[in-house]
mmCIF file of all heavy atoms in Angstrom:
data_model
loop_
_atom_site.group_PDB
_atom_site.id
_atom_site.type_symbol
_atom_site.label_atom_id
_atom_site.label_comp_id
_atom_site.label_asym_id
_atom_site.label_seq_id
_atom_site.Cartn_x
_atom_site.Cartn_y
_atom_site.Cartn_z
ATOM 1 N N THR A 928 18.864 -7.849 8.802
ATOM 2 C CA THR A 928 19.406 -6.639 9.238
ATOM 3 C C THR A 928 18.508 -5.514 9.375
ATOM 4 O O THR A 928 18.515 -4.570 10.107
ATOM 5 C CB THR A 928 20.695 -6.229 8.503
ATOM 6 O OG1 THR A 928 20.191 -6.118 7.169
ATOM 7 C CG2 THR A 928 21.853 -7.169 8.551
ATOM 8 N N PHE A 929 17.490 -5.581 8.426
ATOM 9 C CA PHE A 929 16.410 -4.590 8.431
ATOM 10 C C PHE A 929 14.973 -5.156 8.944
ATOM 11 O O PHE A 929 14.209 -4.394 9.507
ATOM 12 C CB PHE A 929 16.078 -3.975 6.933
ATOM 13 C CG PHE A 929 17.374 -3.299 6.479
ATOM 14 C CD1 PHE A 929 18.212 -3.874 5.650
ATOM 15 C CD2 PHE A 929 17.628 -1.977 6.865
ATOM 16 C CE1 PHE A 929 19.333 -3.275 5.034
ATOM 17 C CE2 PHE A 929 18.791 -1.404 6.316
ATOM 18 C CZ PHE A 929 19.591 -1.978 5.614
ATOM 19 N N THR A 930 14.795 -6.399 8.797
ATOM 20 C CA THR A 930 13.641 -6.992 9.164
ATOM 21 C C THR A 930 13.480 -7.483 10.643
ATOM 22 O O THR A 930 12.443 -7.385 11.183
ATOM 23 C CB THR A 930 13.114 -8.188 8.325
ATOM 24 O OG1 THR A 930 14.254 -9.186 8.456
ATOM 25 C CG2 THR A 930 13.063 -7.863 6.848
ATOM 26 N N ASP A 931 14.656 -7.669 11.209
ATOM 27 C CA ASP A 931 14.629 -8.107 12.667
ATOM 28 C C ASP A 931 14.933 -6.853 13.504
ATOM 29 O O ASP A 931 15.866 -6.811 14.255
ATOM 30 C CB ASP A 931 15.788 -9.144 12.903
ATOM 31 C CG ASP A 931 15.748 -9.808 14.228
ATOM 32 O OD1 ASP A 931 14.540 -9.719 14.791
ATOM 33 O OD2 ASP A 931 16.715 -10.458 14.686
ATOM 34 N N THR A 932 14.049 -5.873 13.326
ATOM 35 C CA THR A 932 14.143 -4.578 14.080
ATOM 36 C C THR A 932 12.675 -4.273 14.629
ATOM 37 O O THR A 932 11.693 -4.792 14.181
ATOM 38 C CB THR A 932 14.682 -3.486 13.195
ATOM 39 O OG1 THR A 932 13.743 -3.347 11.979
ATOM 40 C CG2 THR A 932 16.109 -3.705 12.554
ATOM 41 N N ILE A 933 12.803 -3.312 15.444
ATOM 42 C CA ILE A 933 11.447 -2.870 16.136
ATOM 43 C C ILE A 933 10.702 -2.207 15.084
ATOM 44 O O ILE A 933 9.434 -2.383 14.965
ATOM 45 C CB ILE A 933 11.801 -1.985 17.291
ATOM 46 C CG1 ILE A 933 12.533 -2.742 18.441
ATOM 47 C CG2 ILE A 933 10.413 -1.340 17.793
ATOM 48 C CD1 ILE A 933 12.824 -1.892 19.661
ATOM 49 N N PHE A 934 11.170 -1.337 14.170
ATOM 50 C CA PHE A 934 10.534 -0.598 13.198
ATOM 51 C C PHE A 934 9.758 -1.488 12.261
ATOM 52 O O PHE A 934 8.577 -1.270 11.976
ATOM 53 C CB PHE A 934 11.415 0.301 12.379
ATOM 54 C CG PHE A 934 10.726 0.998 11.167
ATOM 55 C CD1 PHE A 934 9.941 2.103 11.558
ATOM 56 C CD2 PHE A 934 10.898 0.663 9.995
ATOM 57 C CE1 PHE A 934 9.270 2.761 10.491
ATOM 58 C CE2 PHE A 934 10.299 1.310 8.953
ATOM 59 C CZ PHE A 934 9.372 2.349 9.244
ATOM 60 N N TYR A 935 10.474 -2.504 11.756
ATOM 61 C CA TYR A 935 9.774 -3.498 10.804
ATOM 62 C C TYR A 935 8.763 -4.248 11.477
ATOM 63 O O TYR A 935 7.589 -4.392 10.879
ATOM 64 C CB TYR A 935 10.966 -4.418 10.176
ATOM 65 C CG TYR A 935 10.229 -5.288 9.155
ATOM 66 C CD1 TYR A 935 10.301 -5.029 7.828
ATOM 67 C CD2 TYR A 935 9.797 -6.609 9.437
ATOM 68 C CE1 TYR A 935 9.808 -5.766 6.812
ATOM 69 C CE2 TYR A 935 9.219 -7.387 8.529
ATOM 70 C CZ TYR A 935 9.320 -7.027 7.150
ATOM 71 O OH TYR A 935 8.809 -7.858 6.207
ATOM 72 N N GLU A 936 8.924 -4.843 12.627
ATOM 73 C CA GLU A 936 7.967 -5.619 13.201
ATOM 74 C C GLU A 936 6.695 -4.853 13.832
ATOM 75 O O GLU A 936 5.621 -5.368 13.883
ATOM 76 C CB GLU A 936 8.654 -6.449 14.431
ATOM 77 C CG GLU A 936 9.650 -7.417 13.884
ATOM 78 C CD GLU A 936 10.298 -8.211 15.086
ATOM 79 O OE1 GLU A 936 9.833 -7.893 16.363
ATOM 80 O OE2 GLU A 936 11.001 -9.245 14.924
ATOM 81 N N ARG A 937 6.979 -3.569 14.154
ATOM 82 C CA ARG A 937 5.911 -2.793 14.691
ATOM 83 C C ARG A 937 5.183 -1.843 13.741
ATOM 84 O O ARG A 937 3.971 -1.695 13.851
ATOM 85 C CB ARG A 937 6.437 -1.865 15.781
ATOM 86 C CG ARG A 937 6.815 -2.783 17.006
ATOM 87 C CD ARG A 937 5.636 -3.255 17.867
ATOM 88 N NE ARG A 937 6.023 -4.032 18.912
ATOM 89 C CZ ARG A 937 5.188 -4.503 19.991
ATOM 90 N NH1 ARG A 937 3.853 -4.206 19.712
ATOM 91 N NH2 ARG A 937 5.600 -5.242 20.876
ATOM 92 N N SER A 938 5.868 -1.356 12.650
ATOM 93 C CA SER A 938 5.259 -0.294 11.880
ATOM 94 C C SER A 938 4.908 -0.874 10.437
ATOM 95 O O SER A 938 3.944 -0.576 9.888
ATOM 96 C CB SER A 938 6.296 0.830 11.706
ATOM 97 O OG SER A 938 6.514 1.412 12.850
ATOM 98 N N VAL A 939 5.743 -1.726 9.858
ATOM 99 C CA VAL A 939 5.510 -2.196 8.544
ATOM 100 C C VAL A 939 4.284 -3.019 8.505
ATOM 101 O O VAL A 939 3.425 -2.733 7.562
ATOM 102 C CB VAL A 939 6.738 -3.023 8.000
ATOM 103 C CG1 VAL A 939 6.428 -3.665 6.650
ATOM 104 C CG2 VAL A 939 7.908 -2.153 7.826
ATOM 105 N N PRO A 940 3.880 -3.845 9.395
ATOM 106 C CA PRO A 940 2.589 -4.520 9.281
ATOM 107 C C PRO A 940 1.340 -3.635 9.311
ATOM 108 O O PRO A 940 0.298 -4.053 8.833
ATOM 109 C CB PRO A 940 2.623 -5.417 10.532
ATOM 110 C CG PRO A 940 3.936 -5.706 10.913
ATOM 111 C CD PRO A 940 4.761 -4.439 10.573
ATOM 112 N N LEU A 941 1.516 -2.347 9.864
ATOM 113 C CA LEU A 941 0.409 -1.417 9.791
ATOM 114 C C LEU A 941 -0.035 -1.095 8.397
ATOM 115 O O LEU A 941 -1.150 -0.762 8.156
ATOM 116 C CB LEU A 941 0.701 -0.140 10.530
ATOM 117 C CG LEU A 941 1.045 -0.278 11.963
ATOM 118 C CD1 LEU A 941 1.393 1.036 12.540
ATOM 119 C CD2 LEU A 941 -0.205 -0.799 12.853
ATOM 120 N N LEU A 942 0.901 -1.128 7.386
ATOM 121 C CA LEU A 942 0.488 -0.872 6.028
ATOM 122 C C LEU A 942 -0.399 -1.885 5.430
ATOM 123 O O LEU A 942 -0.947 -1.571 4.417
ATOM 124 C CB LEU A 942 1.855 -0.720 5.247
ATOM 125 C CG LEU A 942 2.803 0.384 5.692
ATOM 126 C CD1 LEU A 942 4.121 0.288 4.826
ATOM 127 C CD2 LEU A 942 2.194 1.682 5.615
ATOM 128 N N ARG A 943 -0.358 -3.096 5.966
ATOM 129 C CA ARG A 943 -1.393 -4.049 5.503
ATOM 130 C C ARG A 943 -2.418 -4.302 6.565
ATOM 131 O O ARG A 943 -3.104 -5.347 6.593
ATOM 132 C CB ARG A 943 -0.675 -5.422 5.228
ATOM 133 C CG ARG A 943 0.023 -6.060 6.327
ATOM 134 C CD ARG A 943 0.675 -7.406 5.925
ATOM 135 N NE ARG A 943 1.215 -8.026 7.011
ATOM 136 C CZ ARG A 943 2.507 -7.961 7.355
ATOM 137 N NH1 ARG A 943 3.347 -7.170 6.604
ATOM 138 N NH2 ARG A 943 3.072 -8.669 8.469
ATOM 139 N N LEU A 944 -2.671 -3.320 7.322
ATOM 140 C CA LEU A 944 -3.787 -3.311 8.321
ATOM 141 C C LEU A 944 -3.776 -4.408 9.385
ATOM 142 O O LEU A 944 -4.673 -4.857 9.871
ATOM 143 C CB LEU A 944 -5.138 -3.210 7.622
ATOM 144 C CG LEU A 944 -5.441 -2.086 6.655
ATOM 145 C CD1 LEU A 944 -6.872 -2.309 6.105
ATOM 146 C CD2 LEU A 944 -5.246 -0.742 7.383
ATOM 147 N N ASP A 945 -2.446 -4.675 9.644
ATOM 148 C CA ASP A 945 -2.193 -5.862 10.687
ATOM 149 C C ASP A 945 -1.689 -5.023 11.908
ATOM 150 O O ASP A 945 -0.584 -4.677 12.032
ATOM 151 C CB ASP A 945 -1.225 -6.856 10.305
ATOM 152 C CG ASP A 945 -0.903 -7.928 11.284
ATOM 153 O OD1 ASP A 945 -1.680 -7.974 12.358
ATOM 154 O OD2 ASP A 945 0.137 -8.699 11.115
ATOM 155 N N PHE A 946 -2.633 -4.774 12.951
ATOM 156 C CA PHE A 946 -2.318 -3.929 14.069
ATOM 157 C C PHE A 946 -1.612 -4.772 15.165
ATOM 158 O O PHE A 946 -1.024 -4.140 16.059
ATOM 159 C CB PHE A 946 -3.566 -3.267 14.527
ATOM 160 C CG PHE A 946 -4.237 -2.339 13.577
ATOM 161 C CD1 PHE A 946 -5.329 -2.769 12.791
ATOM 162 C CD2 PHE A 946 -3.632 -1.133 13.267
ATOM 163 C CE1 PHE A 946 -5.882 -2.076 11.901
ATOM 164 C CE2 PHE A 946 -4.322 -0.270 12.359
ATOM 165 C CZ PHE A 946 -5.444 -0.768 11.677
ATOM 166 N N GLY A 947 -1.695 -5.991 15.090
ATOM 167 C CA GLY A 947 -0.954 -6.945 16.084
ATOM 168 C C GLY A 947 -1.683 -6.805 17.650
ATOM 169 O O GLY A 947 -2.707 -6.564 17.620
ATOM 170 N N LEU A 948 -0.680 -6.990 18.453
ATOM 171 C CA LEU A 948 -1.221 -7.001 19.976
ATOM 172 C C LEU A 948 -0.567 -5.838 20.558
ATOM 173 O O LEU A 948 0.435 -5.345 20.301
ATOM 174 C CB LEU A 948 -0.822 -8.254 20.645
ATOM 175 C CG LEU A 948 -1.412 -9.512 20.031
ATOM 176 C CD1 LEU A 948 -0.807 -10.822 20.688
ATOM 177 C CD2 LEU A 948 -2.908 -9.657 20.043
ATOM 178 N N SER A 949 -1.334 -5.307 21.495
ATOM 179 C CA SER A 949 -0.795 -4.286 22.517
ATOM 180 C C SER A 949 0.217 -4.729 23.408
ATOM 181 O O SER A 949 0.473 -6.043 23.508
ATOM 182 C CB SER A 949 -1.906 -3.460 23.123
ATOM 183 O OG SER A 949 -2.536 -4.500 24.117
ATOM 184 N N ASP A 950 0.837 -3.940 24.246
ATOM 185 C CA ASP A 950 1.852 -4.336 25.132
ATOM 186 C C ASP A 950 1.142 -5.151 26.265
ATOM 187 O O ASP A 950 1.755 -5.793 27.066
ATOM 188 C CB ASP A 950 2.562 -3.104 25.749
ATOM 189 C CG ASP A 950 3.444 -2.499 24.676
ATOM 190 O OD1 ASP A 950 3.845 -3.232 23.770
ATOM 191 O OD2 ASP A 950 3.740 -1.283 24.809
ATOM 192 N N GLN A 951 -0.136 -4.914 26.469
ATOM 193 C CA GLN A 951 -0.924 -5.707 27.399
ATOM 194 C C GLN A 951 -1.487 -6.965 26.902
ATOM 195 O O GLN A 951 -2.222 -7.687 27.555
ATOM 196 C CB GLN A 951 -2.089 -4.855 27.929
ATOM 197 C CG GLN A 951 -1.619 -3.663 28.861
ATOM 198 C CD GLN A 951 -0.936 -2.543 28.045
ATOM 199 O OE1 GLN A 951 -1.376 -2.291 26.842
ATOM 200 N NE2 GLN A 951 -0.005 -1.748 28.624
ATOM 201 N N GLY A 952 -1.159 -7.290 25.606
ATOM 202 C CA GLY A 952 -1.702 -8.536 25.127
ATOM 203 C C GLY A 952 -2.995 -8.525 24.429
ATOM 204 O O GLY A 952 -3.555 -9.558 24.146
ATOM 205 N N GLN A 953 -3.547 -7.375 24.244
ATOM 206 C CA GLN A 953 -4.933 -7.211 23.722
ATOM 207 C C GLN A 953 -4.840 -7.016 22.120
ATOM 208 O O GLN A 953 -3.895 -6.519 21.686
ATOM 209 C CB GLN A 953 -5.614 -5.953 24.302
ATOM 210 C CG GLN A 953 -5.839 -6.149 25.756
ATOM 211 C CD GLN A 953 -6.470 -4.835 26.381
ATOM 212 O OE1 GLN A 953 -6.547 -3.830 25.670
ATOM 213 N NE2 GLN A 953 -7.018 -4.884 27.588
ATOM 214 N N ASP A 954 -5.817 -7.701 21.537
ATOM 215 C CA ASP A 954 -5.853 -7.488 20.101
ATOM 216 C C ASP A 954 -6.324 -6.160 19.704
ATOM 217 O O ASP A 954 -7.484 -5.728 19.952
ATOM 218 C CB ASP A 954 -6.868 -8.603 19.541
ATOM 219 C CG ASP A 954 -6.959 -8.690 17.991
ATOM 220 O OD1 ASP A 954 -6.108 -7.806 17.327
ATOM 221 O OD2 ASP A 954 -7.608 -9.420 17.387
ATOM 222 N N ILE A 955 -5.443 -5.439 19.006
ATOM 223 C CA ILE A 955 -5.736 -3.818 18.708
ATOM 224 C C ILE A 955 -6.756 -3.845 17.670
ATOM 225 O O ILE A 955 -7.711 -2.973 17.702
ATOM 226 C CB ILE A 955 -4.409 -3.260 18.243
ATOM 227 C CG1 ILE A 955 -3.295 -3.289 19.303
ATOM 228 C CG2 ILE A 955 -4.797 -1.812 17.888
ATOM 229 C CD1 ILE A 955 -2.102 -2.672 18.945
ATOM 230 N N ALA A 956 -6.853 -4.752 16.716
ATOM 231 C CA ALA A 956 -7.919 -4.756 15.720
ATOM 232 C C ALA A 956 -9.233 -4.880 16.246
ATOM 233 O O ALA A 956 -10.227 -4.196 15.980
ATOM 234 C CB ALA A 956 -7.533 -5.692 14.604
ATOM 235 N N TYR A 957 -9.398 -5.797 17.255
ATOM 236 C CA TYR A 957 -10.606 -5.964 17.946
ATOM 237 C C TYR A 957 -11.111 -4.726 18.796
ATOM 238 O O TYR A 957 -12.217 -4.514 18.700
ATOM 239 C CB TYR A 957 -10.516 -7.183 18.905
ATOM 240 C CG TYR A 957 -11.706 -7.603 19.639
ATOM 241 C CD1 TYR A 957 -12.816 -8.030 19.196
ATOM 242 C CD2 TYR A 957 -11.820 -7.251 21.022
ATOM 243 C CE1 TYR A 957 -14.019 -8.295 19.887
ATOM 244 C CE2 TYR A 957 -12.912 -7.394 21.746
ATOM 245 C CZ TYR A 957 -13.994 -7.954 21.154
ATOM 246 O OH TYR A 957 -15.076 -8.211 21.951
ATOM 247 N N GLN A 958 -10.100 -4.091 19.344
ATOM 248 C CA GLN A 958 -10.356 -3.018 20.208
ATOM 249 C C GLN A 958 -10.871 -1.848 19.216
ATOM 250 O O GLN A 958 -11.870 -1.067 19.609
ATOM 251 C CB GLN A 958 -9.183 -2.456 20.938
ATOM 252 C CG GLN A 958 -8.658 -3.577 22.012
ATOM 253 C CD GLN A 958 -9.629 -3.770 23.109
ATOM 254 O OE1 GLN A 958 -10.444 -2.847 23.443
ATOM 255 N NE2 GLN A 958 -9.756 -5.014 23.641
ATOM 256 N N ILE A 959 -10.314 -1.730 18.170
ATOM 257 C CA ILE A 959 -10.703 -0.656 17.130
ATOM 258 C C ILE A 959 -12.136 -0.946 16.640
ATOM 259 O O ILE A 959 -13.005 -0.077 16.511
ATOM 260 C CB ILE A 959 -9.786 -0.623 15.864
ATOM 261 C CG1 ILE A 959 -8.365 -0.165 16.390
ATOM 262 C CG2 ILE A 959 -10.414 0.292 14.847
ATOM 263 C CD1 ILE A 959 -7.397 -0.116 15.356
ATOM 264 N N LYS A 960 -12.515 -2.250 16.372
ATOM 265 C CA LYS A 960 -13.742 -2.601 15.877
ATOM 266 C C LYS A 960 -14.892 -2.287 16.932
ATOM 267 O O LYS A 960 -15.975 -1.873 16.613
ATOM 268 C CB LYS A 960 -13.815 -4.165 15.484
ATOM 269 C CG LYS A 960 -13.137 -4.412 14.254
ATOM 270 C CD LYS A 960 -13.129 -5.795 13.937
ATOM 271 C CE LYS A 960 -12.277 -6.238 12.745
ATOM 272 N NZ LYS A 960 -12.337 -7.656 12.427
ATOM 273 N N GLN A 961 -14.414 -2.580 18.167
ATOM 274 C CA GLN A 961 -15.361 -2.339 19.307
ATOM 275 C C GLN A 961 -15.744 -0.816 19.500
ATOM 276 O O GLN A 961 -16.865 -0.506 19.760
ATOM 277 C CB GLN A 961 -14.829 -2.858 20.631
ATOM 278 C CG GLN A 961 -14.684 -4.277 20.710
ATOM 279 C CD GLN A 961 -16.171 -5.001 20.847
ATOM 280 O OE1 GLN A 961 -16.515 -5.544 19.760
ATOM 281 N NE2 GLN A 961 -16.623 -4.909 21.945
ATOM 282 N N ARG A 962 -14.762 0.050 19.264
ATOM 283 C CA ARG A 962 -14.941 1.526 19.453
ATOM 284 C C ARG A 962 -15.307 2.260 18.112
ATOM 285 O O ARG A 962 -15.530 3.462 18.230
ATOM 286 C CB ARG A 962 -13.624 2.054 20.050
ATOM 287 C CG ARG A 962 -13.445 1.598 21.534
ATOM 288 C CD ARG A 962 -12.026 1.770 21.981
ATOM 289 N NE ARG A 962 -11.913 1.336 23.377
ATOM 290 C CZ ARG A 962 -11.853 0.159 23.881
ATOM 291 N NH1 ARG A 962 -11.861 -0.809 22.963
ATOM 292 N NH2 ARG A 962 -11.639 0.018 25.149
ATOM 293 N N MET A 963 -15.237 1.623 17.004
ATOM 294 C CA MET A 963 -15.303 2.188 15.714
ATOM 295 C C MET A 963 -16.896 2.649 15.491
ATOM 296 O O MET A 963 -17.134 3.680 15.019
ATOM 297 C CB MET A 963 -14.892 1.356 14.647
ATOM 298 C CG MET A 963 -14.947 1.996 13.258
ATOM 299 S SD MET A 963 -14.048 1.050 12.010
ATOM 300 C CE MET A 963 -15.148 -0.524 12.133
ATOM 301 N N GLY A 964 -17.728 1.944 15.986
ATOM 302 C CA GLY A 964 -19.132 2.217 15.686
ATOM 303 C C GLY A 964 -19.640 3.516 16.454
ATOM 304 O O GLY A 964 -20.172 4.332 15.827
#
């Protein structure tokens, strides 16, 4: 009832640095690494 929600699937993984995929299917962590330098 709490885990099968948009907030849990989209926001909670950010606390463990799991950024997931964007709406266009791109790896967000990879995009951050490319632009972080």
Side-chain angles (χ1 to χ4, degrees):
T928 56
F929 297 100
T930 59
D931 194 19
T932 58
I933 297 178
F934 176 75
Y935 184 87
E936 294 183 353
R937 292 285 178 173
S938 295
V939 173
L941 295 177
L942 300 177
R943 59 176 185 267
L944 302 181
D945 181 10
F946 301 101
L948 301 177
S949 65
D950 293 335
Q951 290 74 29
Q953 299 176 345
D954 187 358
I955 298 178
Y957 176 76
Q958 297 296 327
I959 293 176
K960 291 179 181 178
Q961 290 293 105
R962 292 162 173 78
M963 184 170 59

